[in-house]
Amino acid sequence: MKNLQILICEDNQIKAKAMLRCMEKFFEYGIKIDVSYYLNTSLDNIEDKKYNLIFIDINMKESIHGNYDQSAGIKILNKIEQSYTHDYECILCTSINDMKDLLQPYKEKYEILDYTYTHSDNDILEDNIKTILIEKSKKLGINLDSKQYDIAIITALQDEMTQVRNAFDIYETKIATSNGREKYDWIDVTCTNETHIFKAMRIEKINGKSISLISASAVKMGMSNTAVLATKIILKYKPKVIVMLGICAGKEGDIELGDILIADRVFDYQAGKVKQKGKEEVFYPDPDMYSLNSTFLAKFDDKKDAWTNDIANYWKKSTNDKTRIDPGVKIGLIGSGAAVMAKDNTFMDIEDHNRKILGIDMEAFALFVAAEKTISINKPIPILIKSVQDFADKKKDGEEDDQKKDYYRQYGSFSSAIFFLNLCHEYLIDYIEQGT
């Protein structure tokens, strides 16, 4: 099944952004849509990329400092007709009555969109574009349910995802206000016969570069549930990066409560064999080890401290809690197991075989295995960023520690999301854009 490749050629940024938002809403951010604001960039894009649905303004500026060309759209159309051999559909757009006469020879072959735009007409524009997208996709033989996202975000539990999305909302509000643009919101992704709830969003840098996100929480904690969700997302939405946010346990003395831990390697610390040795049972570990992408590891190690910037301020905006300072961050080995650990000597038992361990959880290993084993080409890069909620000792079962644990679960989920957003704006958006 072909993918939809859309280009909007429009020099009026208000109209272009209105069209873009209508399309993004319709496709739930799951389709990449390019925008060219001038004749010269439109011609360059058409030469560089094979679009199959192109919206063309007729009267456009030649370049950023150029004059208006009343036949710019016709020149773009001629370029397409001369160079494209694949199936495509063009929509000729104008709001000027005089331009409509110019388009008479093209009316039989191409659709004309009269898009005189005011804010009060936004519903009309949205309905017109929705109709066009449905009709043209059907004509091109494209499945509108086929969506693709740049990054997938998962958590072990829904309450962790609630804090993650809350962090994204607060961060995005600040960025959008600073850039003088409309804020992106989480929107529900339409799914049938589905046990998970997916929501999508877009994040955008100051320079206009942006990436799409798909998010969902597992049904329950644990490696099996994480493996199911990660595998499903990889097959259905083909992300370039799959990241898990939330909370974990940390090794007391090496890391503090609330600190952020990035996995450079993950393993299943319960994988192995138990043998009878006299009257004792002896565990012989035999774990596989999966590693963080080496390019990411080098970059994260260099920039990790800077990416904790403003976490405390964002948390204060969310909760009015003024007691936090920006957390510490470490990169290290994380082990995964099938059980919640609440006993003394948890880390000592594991350290007998993996002395460099910094944290444990119930999901990291499953994330990395799913990323490596689900598909053979275009594999997503797994990232695990979690905040330390407790030290996996018996103290975590007391009533007082339950309150502390709940606090650090909320704070940890929130802070891991802000850290990841800083990472995206400072590095990951550019990394993904350069690779597409």
Side-chain angles (χ1 to χ4, degrees), residues 371-386:
E372 174 62 28
K373 301 294 187 182
T374 299
I375 53 179
S376 59
I377 57 173
N378 298 323
K379 298 177 182 182
I381 299 174
I383 301 173
L384 186 117
I385 301 170
K386 290 193 173 185

Side-chain angles (χ1 to χ4, degrees), residues 74-86:
I74 304 303
K75 292 176 181 177
I76 294 170
L77 189 60
N78 289 338
K79 174 78 171 179
I80 293 170
E81 291 180 334
Q82 291 167 11
S83 60
Y84 277 15
T85 57
H86 61 280

Side-chain angles (χ1 to χ4, degrees), residues 148-153 229-243 290-293 296 366-383 431-432:
Q148 186 169 342
Y149 296 89
D150 295 311
I151 295 178
I153 300 170
L229 175 57
T231 300
K232 185 184 294 185
I233 287 180
I234 291 166
L235 291 174
K236 188 175 179 66
Y237 298 117
K238 301 175 178 62
K240 300 174 183 69
V241 173
I242 182 165
V243 58
Y290 290 86
S291 299
L292 176 63
N293 172 279
F296 281 13
L367 173 73
F368 278 69
V369 171
E372 174 62 28
K373 301 294 187 182
T374 299
I375 53 179
S376 59
I377 57 173
N378 298 323
K379 298 177 182 182
I381 299 174
I383 301 173
Y431 176 90
I432 289 174

